[in-house]
Amino acid sequence: MPPLQSSTSALTTLGTLYKVKGDLLVYQDPAAVDGWYRKALETLARALPIDRAYSQERQRRELARGWGSERIEVKGYGALYKTLSDTYRALGRLPEAIDALQHLVRIRPLDAERYAQLAELEAAAERTEDSVVSLWMAEKVSPSPEWELRLANAYHQRDPAGCAGAKPSAVTPDRDCPMVKAHICSAQRRLIAVLSETGRADAAGRYRLEAARTNGCTPFQ
């Protein structure tokens, strides 16, 4: 592991241990919990500029080799941003938790689980529209009965009397509903944008074709 990444890993591990210490004290010593979470946050914050420096240096080397910027994948130490997001959430700082997880999504834009985690955070922050779209992004990246069921439940809670409001027993959303179609297209646009911005031009092209052919979601840039 390169020296910069090694430093990031060590600080992330230490920050994670502080976060776990706070978790363990939730019932034993509640007054001490936030102090450990803040200590975790301070440690993880020290790792951020190191990780960014590593990412920038890697991009500089790839550009020097003649790679186009559109094909240089965004890199970073994923565990840092996941722990950072979890720590912000534990402190009740949902906007920062979402920002950290969004950075992780940019590092791993083809990981459906990350979009599902983002959807959960957005729901907790009462960003319902974003939450549903993020779930559709998870479904587009890796179709799963789990995402379908979560989407059906989300629509039932949000619009129980409308066409998007699936019956409580439904396991899939109604894709013929205009609201659902609009969310699918929004998810595909966001997914294509993320892939394009993070050096996954080929994957972005594939999803662009799929969106136009299967859902009629146009236009796509």
Side-chain angles (χ1 to χ4, degrees):
M1 184 180 289
L4 284 176
Q5 249 194 322
S6 188
S7 300
T8 303
S9 174
L11 286 167
T12 300
T13 299
L14 183 58
T16 301
L17 290 173
Y18 290 149
K19 166 66 166 56
V20 170
K21 177 68 173 179
D23 293 341
L24 292 174
L25 291 175
V26 167
Y27 298 108
Q28 299 174 11
D29 188 5
V33 171
D34 279 5
W36 284 101
Y37 288 158
R38 286 193 293 271
K39 195 169 183 178
L41 202 57
E42 290 167 4
T43 305
L44 296 168
R46 287 166 54 200
L48 286 173
I50 302 173
D51 187 66
R52 289 169 185 156
Y54 165 76
S55 300
Q56 290 167 1
E57 175 59 19
R58 180 185 174 278
Q59 183 179 46
R60 186 195 65 76
R61 291 198 306 268
E62 297 297 335
L63 287 170
R65 291 191 183 108
W67 282 81
S69 58
E70 75 282 359
R71 295 193 177 277
I72 300 175
E73 296 184 2
V74 171
K75 296 292 184 181
Y77 194 62
L80 167 61
Y81 298 96
K82 180 63 172 67
T83 306
L84 189 63
S85 178
D86 290 343
T87 306
Y88 275 129
R89 182 172 188 175
L91 287 166
R93 296 167 62 176
L94 292 179
E96 291 100 326
I98 290 171
D99 286 344
L101 198 55
Q102 284 176 332
H103 193 88
L104 178 55
V105 164
R106 291 177 63 80
I107 296 170
R108 299 176 183 170
L110 292 172
D111 185 344
E113 185 64 34
R114 304 307 171 191
Y115 293 108
Q117 291 167 352
L118 182 59
E120 183 181 343
L121 273 178
E122 289 166 336
E126 299 184 349
R127 290 169 50 176
T128 308
E129 190 90 4
D130 287 333
S131 177
V132 170
V133 170
S134 291
L135 271 178
W136 274 116
M137 292 171 80
E139 171 65 15
K140 289 302 171 183
V141 167
S142 181
S144 162
E146 179 183 352
W147 314 144
E148 293 268 355
L149 180 58
R150 286 177 61 174
L151 281 161
N153 290 337
Y155 282 120
H156 177 71
Q157 293 173 9
R158 173 177 176 162
D159 186 31
C163 66
K167 295 179 181 179
S169 59
V171 295
T172 61
D174 181 0
R175 284 173 167 77
D176 291 326
C177 176
M179 178 189 292
V180 174
K181 285 184 176 181
H183 287 155
I184 292 173
C185 289
S186 291
Q188 290 181 306
R189 288 191 180 92
R190 290 189 193 181
L191 180 58
I192 290 165
V194 169
L195 292 169
S196 299
E197 293 165 3
T198 57
R200 278 82 172 180
D202 291 342
R206 290 195 302 272
Y207 280 101
R208 189 177 291 111
L209 286 174
E210 176 194 332
R213 289 174 179 173
T214 62
N215 296 304
C217 302
T218 55
F220 284 93
Q221 300 300 321

